[in-house]
Each structure stands twice: as C-alpha cells, then as structure tokens.
Amino acid sequence: MKGYLGFGSVAHAAEVGAPIQAREVAAPVFPSGYGRDPQLVDPQSAPWRSTLTPTQRSLLKPLVDTILPADGGAPEASALKIDNKLDEWLSAPYPNQVADAEVALPLLDALGERDFASLDATDRDDLLTTLSEEGFGVDTVVQLVAGLYFTTDQGAALAGFVGNEPRAVFEGPPSETIALLEERLDAL
C-alpha cells in the first residue's frame, strides 16, 4: 500500500532510493468545532414546523389531560408537555406520523366543533366515547398519548420501567407476570 507521498513508509522510501529530506512540521491544529451536537434523545423542538391549525393546537392540552389526568402521584399529561409532543408527532413528515395525523386531525376538528375545551371532565369523557362510536380515531389518539406519556422519564418511572440499567443478575420476570401471562394464554 502506498502512503500519501506514494511510498508505503519512510523505510520503504529509503529502500527504493528515494531522497528523504528533513522538513519542519507545524504543530497540529485542532479544530475548534462546529458547535454543539444536536440533542437527539430529548430535543427541545422538532426540525419541522407545526402543521396544526390554531384551533386544533388549542385542543391538544384539554384532550391529553382528559386522556391522562393527574391521578395520585402521576402528573397530568400536559404537565409532561405531551400536548407539544403530540403536535410534533402529528406534524412530522414521515409515513407513520402522516397516517396518524389523517386519523387524529378529523377528531380534533370534531372536538373543536363541539366546544370540547369548555366542557367539564365528565362531558369530555362522554364526548370522546360518542366520537369513538361515530368512527373517529379516539383509540389511535389515546394510544399515541399513552405512548408519549410513558416514554418520558416520569412516565417510565410511574410504569415501573427498570430497563436500561445494568444488572449483575437477571432473575427472570416476576411470578405475578408469569401467572398473568399463563392466565391470558389459557384464555386463548
């Protein structure tokens, strides 16, 4: 293999009779960098703009808080900024997110037409049930909100998630989990 100057090494250059000249070498220059690396694990904002209308956007907070209200030690969904995360998800240009937006945006429009934000908690629950029965994608939005909620640090802790931690020994799943799985499999 030939090196940068066409010789494999200084020793090789000497073997083939090439003249080796001493030269001054400048001190190495290290680049100062191009800025900070992007925060990809928990970015502060999406690289795309929101595509929701102002009315749709205004319904996200009451919607996510209706789906996951504060309960005991668990904060309501908007306290974990799930409304912002849902906006980013529904505005994303990727095929799965576009498909979710095609389901969620008509639901948001229907909520806006029925003044969802001004309803009390019971009436909001009733309206979501009615819209679900009418074929709006309530189940899809509930799954999105729950997924976004339980992938936050606080949500994962509330769910008892203990993954991503080194362990000296894995003793297998808890007996309660195995019993529940066996019960569900027997039901099939």
Side-chain angles (χ1 to χ4, degrees):
M1 181 172 111
K2 294 187 176 185
Y4 177 71
L5 295 175
F7 301 106
S9 66
V10 171
H12 175 70
E15 287 174 15
V16 295
I20 300 175
Q21 299 175 358
R23 61 186 169 111
E24 288 186 33
V25 178
V29 176
F30 296 101
S32 61
Y34 54 85
R36 296 180 50 161
D37 287 339
Q39 173 57 290
L40 298 176
V41 173
D42 188 20
Q44 299 304 309
S45 64
W48 49 83
R49 63 178 181 73
S50 174
T51 58
L52 276 62
T53 67
T55 301
Q56 291 169 335
R57 179 74 183 98
S58 71
L59 292 166
L60 291 180
K61 184 178 186 294
L63 176 60
V64 302
D65 287 344
T66 300
I67 294 170
L68 286 172
D71 183 32
E76 63 189 0
S78 66
L80 300 181
K81 307 224 181 291
I82 302 307
D83 49 326
N84 295 337
K85 293 176 187 298
L86 183 59
D87 181 6
E88 290 178 10
W89 183 272
L90 297 175
S91 298
Y94 306 111
N96 289 342
Q97 287 81 350
V98 169
D100 288 338
E102 289 172 355
V103 172
L105 298 183
L107 172 64
L108 290 172
D109 292 339
L111 294 174
E113 291 169 3
R114 298 175 189 187
D115 205 19
F116 181 77
S118 68
L119 300 175
D120 66 24
T122 302
D123 290 338
R124 286 180 183 176
D125 286 341
D126 292 343
L127 179 54
L128 287 175
T129 300
T130 299
L131 290 174
S132 179
E133 292 168 354
E134 291 176 8
F136 286 91
V138 175
D139 291 343
T140 297
V141 173
V142 168
Q143 291 172 4
L144 288 172
V145 170
L148 292 167
Y149 187 94
F150 289 108
T151 55
T152 65
D153 290 340
Q154 299 92 331
L158 289 167
F161 179 70
V162 294
N164 300 333
E165 295 179 10
R167 302 199 183 282
V169 176
F170 177 65
E171 298 172 2
S175 58
E176 299 85 20
T177 303
I178 293 172
L180 178 62
L181 180 59
E182 288 174 351
E183 176 185 317
R184 299 270 170 94
L185 287 173
D186 289 342
L188 295 175

